[in-house]
Amino acid sequence: MSTPVPTLPTTLPDVDVPARARAGAASIVLTRTSDGAGPALIGPGGDDLTPDWVDAVGLTGKAGEVLPGPLGSATAWVVGIGAGKPEHWRTAGAALARAIDAGLAADPEASATAAVHLPDDTTADEAALLARGLRLGGYRYRVTEEEPEPRLRSAALVVSDKDRRDRIAAAVRRSSTLDLATAFARDLANTPSNVKDPAWLARTAAKAAGRIAGLDTHVRDERWLADHGFGGLLAVGGGSSRPPRLLHLSWSPPDAEGPHIALVGKGITFDTGGISIKPNEGMHLMRTDMAGGAAVIAATLAIARLALPVRVTALVPCAENHVSGSAYRPGDIVRHYGGRTTEVLNTDAEGRMVLADGLVYARDLGADILVDAATLTGAMKVSLGVRIGGLFANDDEVASRLADAGASVGESWWRMPLLDQYAAEVASDIADVRQCPPGPGAITAALFLREFVGDLPWAHLDIAGPARADRTYDDVVPGASGFAARTLVEYVASYVAGPRS
């Protein structure tokens, strides 16, 4: 019998923008830090928050501070937005969602709905970030026999003025699509690998895509892969009893403008390291080694839901890197799709093997720009830590668009160099290239991938650090973070308005 997993996608709280609060909703008062003495209450409400109460509870207004209102008060929660920077609004929403969830766990009869009366100077972007925190801050993935605890069900961002309400509602609705993408990427990456084999990942993505008009799906099995020469994907997946798959999503709207963009995501559903086996410590986290593929899948669904008029091809080579008599070996020479050969030096560097096939295939499908996303190297985690993604690119405009897209959705990227002094090290004595050239690991991995992109503009997103979290911060909770999904959506959207001036 298969292991039960939560129903995917995870249901997120509804956030709408009405003119008045619903009856029974918990009333929320916002407060910010102040240059003067004590915090500043902002927006409607809070008349019952006396100076004595503020002093007694030590209210500061800092971002993410959440305190219950006075006993018997009409105010259920007081929430700090700090100095009101964009990231503070998201932090505040996430902290509020977690506080409400904790309150419901202690008292299931408490209200599972909340009403935040937005101050008159709240921008549409700020409201959308508050909504993002409310939706994602309480995200949870658990496989358990216990009944789910009650959680925040809905929130209202109350705006009385109609024109402002319409603008804010539009921003909140658009943000919802990106938030759903983040949550679905988390769902896919969090799913345990006894359930999530290559066929499951491709099938689950295809099922989700099938609900969106105009989004075409193909799932290629191991026979098709062999017939078409996908040697990298077949080599990596050859050690598992659960054969590889290639997921191909195609979004080709009739009003498409700008370039044809290919998104290629690493879909390693579990990574033992193969014959170059990993240490036991931390190996359980390798269920999230397809987080790049999850981000590509979720982003493509969101692009189609938003009906962005840009042609997008998404490719996710899915494989399980396992140990067996049929596993590929150090010293093997693998022929990739398109004919280029790789000398294998380390079977734990499997992500670049499958991405190489995907990048060349994307070229054959007529892509104008290539972007790949992968939990590729531990070296990237050492270099940038766990909250910043590494961005490599052979094209300044692509790099700039990706960095700007990330900044707009709260995902940080740092552009890394493609150092030419290491490029010669990629060549092999007995094959076209070698898989693990000497030198700085993240950079040489990117240089290896560059060998397969031809003359096309290309970017490589190494998300080994921020793809998973071991603690709560902002709207992120322990487990898969969904990092890069929102960036990819906004990157594609950046071409809708035409070329930059």
Side-chain angles (χ1 to χ4, degrees), residues 8 46 49 74 95 134 224-225 242 261 265 282 294 316 339 371 388 394 415 418 430 432 441-442 466-467 495:
L8 304 186
L49 305 182
L134 286 164
W224 187 94
L225 295 171
R242 307 194 291 182
I261 300 171
V316 181
V371 180
I388 301 174
N394 65 0
R415 189 171 182 185
L418 290 165
I430 61 173
D432 291 318
Y495 289 94

Side-chain angles (χ1 to χ4, degrees), residues 446-461:
L447 289 169
F448 172 86
L449 291 175
R450 190 175 69 172
E451 293 290 319
F452 296 87
V453 304
D455 296 328
L456 292 182
W458 156 77
H460 161 55
L461 306 179

Side-chain angles (χ1 to χ4, degrees), residues 330-422:
D332 285 0
I333 296 178
V334 171
R335 187 176 297 277
H336 293 278
Y337 176 85
R340 201 165 183 81
T341 57
T342 291
E343 176 190 3
V344 177
L345 301 178
N346 181 345
T347 64
D348 193 24
E350 82 299 328
R352 66 197 73 180
M353 298 292 291
V354 304
L355 288 175
D357 282 356
L359 289 167
V360 180
Y361 187 50
R363 289 164 51 194
D364 275 5
L365 293 174
D368 300 312
I369 298 174
L370 306 174
V371 180
D372 73 75
T375 51
L376 204 67
T377 65
M380 195 76 267
K381 187 175 179 179
V382 172
S383 298
L384 295 180
V386 296
R387 300 193 186 183
I388 301 174
L391 166 59
F392 298 82
N394 65 0
D395 183 276
D396 290 342
E397 182 183 353
V398 171
S400 177
R401 284 180 183 269
L402 280 162
D404 289 348
S408 73
V409 294
E411 295 181 336
S412 298
W413 300 94
W414 188 266
R415 189 171 182 185
M416 300 291 290
L418 290 165
L419 298 173
D420 284 337
Q421 62 261 43
Y422 294 105

Side-chain angles (χ1 to χ4, degrees), residues 51-362:
D52 288 344
W53 178 83
V54 169
D55 290 342
V57 299
L59 188 71
T60 68
K62 67 180 182 181
E65 178 183 65
V66 181
L67 295 172
L71 189 64
S73 164
T75 301
W77 301 95
V78 182
V79 181
I81 61 165
K85 295 179 179 179
E87 62 269 24
H88 293 167
W89 287 88
R90 184 180 58 166
T91 297
L96 175 59
R98 290 190 280 266
I100 291 174
D101 288 348
L104 286 165
D107 178 12
E109 300 303 316
S111 177
T113 64
V116 183
H117 292 267
L118 295 181
D120 291 341
D121 60 351
T122 304
T123 68
D125 287 343
E126 289 168 343
L129 288 167
L130 180 66
R132 174 160 297 150
L134 286 164
R135 292 192 190 99
L136 294 175
Y139 173 92
R140 196 177 188 190
Y141 184 103
R142 292 195 70 207
V143 182
T144 176
E145 67 177 357
E146 299 173 1
E147 287 295 318
E149 293 177 343
R151 307 181 73 75
L152 175 65
R153 189 167 60 249
S154 64
L157 308 183
V158 181
V159 179
S160 56
D161 179 77
K162 185 180 186 308
D163 289 341
R164 286 186 61 245
R165 185 167 67 250
D166 290 345
R167 289 194 300 273
I168 288 174
V172 168
R173 282 194 301 271
R174 189 181 188 282
S175 176
S176 174
T177 302
L178 274 68
D179 304 341
L180 289 168
T182 299
F184 191 50
R186 291 179 185 180
D187 289 341
L188 295 175
N190 280 327
T191 298
S193 296
N194 55 325
V195 173
K196 180 178 58 189
D197 63 8
W200 182 95
L201 179 57
R203 183 174 63 250
T204 300
K207 183 178 179 180
R211 302 188 186 105
I212 304 173
L215 184 56
D216 294 331
T217 308
H218 300 282
V219 176
R220 309 301 191 183
D221 64 14
E222 68 274 23
R223 292 175 295 278
W224 187 94
L225 295 171
D227 289 344
H228 290 79
F230 281 72
L233 183 51
L234 289 166
V236 172
S240 174
S241 62
R242 307 194 291 182
R245 295 287 186 270
L246 176 66
L247 173 68
H248 177 186
L249 302 176
S250 180
W251 172 248
S252 300
D255 58 345
E257 57 187 68
H260 173 192
I261 300 171
L263 307 178
V264 184
K266 172 184 170 183
I268 301 299
T269 57
F270 193 79
D271 182 19
T272 67
I275 288 177
S276 308
I277 196 164
K278 293 178 180 292
N280 176 64
E281 182 181 359
M283 193 192 289
H284 65 286
L285 297 173
M286 291 301 101
R287 64 177 175 267
T288 67
D289 206 27
M290 36 58 68
V296 164
I297 291 166
T300 305
L301 299 181
I303 288 163
R305 288 191 179 104
L306 292 171
L308 296 181
V310 180
R311 185 180 176 191
V312 175
T313 292
L315 299 172
V316 181
C318 309
E320 186 174 67
N321 188 24
H322 227 303
V323 186
S324 76
S326 58
Y328 79 130
R329 295 158 290 268
D332 285 0
I333 296 178
V334 171
R335 187 176 297 277
H336 293 278
Y337 176 85
R340 201 165 183 81
T341 57
T342 291
E343 176 190 3
V344 177
L345 301 178
N346 181 345
T347 64
D348 193 24
E350 82 299 328
R352 66 197 73 180
M353 298 292 291
V354 304
L355 288 175
D357 282 356
L359 289 167
V360 180
Y361 187 50

